[in-house]
Amino acid sequence: MKLGGKDFKMKKQLKKAVVCLGISSLLPVAAFSAWADTVPATTIPAQHAVAKPVPKAAIVVPVHPAAPAVVAAKPKLNTQQQKAQILKLAQSLKGTRYLQGGSTPKGFDSSGYVNYLFTKNGVNIPRSTNSLFQKGKVVAKNALIAGDLVFFNTNRGKGVTDVGIYLGNNTFISVTTKRGVAITNLKDKYWASKFVGAKRIL
């Protein structure tokens, strides 16, 4: 079909409009693409980044068995050391009162006093004066040394009633009814007349 001049002109204008419309619709897309290429990439700062929580490791405290307490053993004393300790303790108790049947620093009788001194230093001896007189080695009066036991009979008749510890230089320490634990001279008239004998335990 052959178009007239007017129809051909209209068709040409319509085609031109369609082409222009197509180009204009593509312009925004092209412009946006060109703008996007010029914008620098933005990264999220590390401090604003959301970190995944890291599970805490369980704290394990090592348990060690308690070390047993170490108790230092007391060195065993020899005979001379024991004797020295007995004599020292004997004089430290000077003035302790007399107490019949007593065997502690609250009060002593003569055999209780001697028994206390020896047992406190690891030497077991009999409690009674008579039994104690049966122990040890007999010592002559002129051969006494410090630490020997001296025995007396203050009652009428046989046997022994009192005991003391010889200190040297004719002195001994014992328990008296009036003065308690006291130092006395072996040559004292009263005690010299009551002397029965002496024994060496150590």
Side-chain angles (χ1 to χ4, degrees):
M1 178 178 173
K2 204 172 190 179
L3 297 175
K6 188 177 180 179
D7 292 333
F8 180 79
K9 189 176 180 180
M10 289 181 63
K11 185 176 180 181
K12 190 175 180 180
Q13 290 176 346
L14 181 61
K15 186 176 181 180
K16 186 177 180 181
V18 170
V19 171
C20 290
L21 181 62
I23 293 171
S24 62
S25 64
L26 292 174
L27 283 175
V29 175
F32 177 80
S33 177
W35 172 81
D37 289 340
T38 63
V39 177
T42 303
T43 57
I44 300 175
Q47 61 268 28
H48 297 297
V50 179
K52 292 183 179 181
V54 178
K56 293 183 178 180
I59 299 174
V60 179
V61 179
V63 178
H64 300 289
V70 178
V71 179
K74 290 184 178 180
K76 190 174 180 180
L77 302 178
N78 59 39
T79 301
Q80 292 302 317
Q81 290 172 325
Q82 284 179 315
K83 191 181 294 186
Q85 292 286 9
I86 288 170
L87 293 170
K88 182 179 178 181
L89 180 59
Q91 296 185 68
S92 72
L93 293 169
K94 191 167 60 174
T96 303
R97 71 188 182 103
Y98 168 80
L99 178 64
Q100 185 175 4
S103 57
T104 72
K106 292 181 179 180
F108 294 111
D109 61 19
S110 65
S111 61
Y113 172 63
V114 172
N115 183 272
Y116 177 82
L117 299 176
F118 276 75
T119 55
K120 270 291 184 179
N121 287 282
V123 183
N124 294 318
I125 59 173
R127 171 65 176 81
S128 72
T129 306
N130 279 310
S131 296
L132 188 54
F133 189 58
Q134 306 303 317
K135 300 293 182 179
K137 177 184 177 182
V138 176
V139 181
K141 194 174 183 179
N142 60 0
L144 288 169
I145 61 173
D148 288 344
L149 301 183
V150 288
F151 294 86
F152 307 88
N153 182 2
T154 57
N155 292 334
R156 293 180 180 180
K158 295 181 180 181
V160 291
T161 59
D162 293 275
V163 60
I165 299 178
Y166 188 71
L167 299 177
N169 297 321
N170 290 309
T171 61
F172 69 98
I173 188 167
S174 65
V175 182
T176 64
T177 54
K178 292 182 179 180
R179 295 185 296 158
V181 177
I183 296 175
T184 308
N185 196 300
L186 196 57
K187 290 185 177 181
D188 179 88
K189 186 176 180 180
Y190 175 81
W191 290 104
S193 66
K194 305 300 180 180
F195 181 79
V196 174
K199 290 294 186 73
R200 185 167 296 160
I201 302 297
L202 292 174

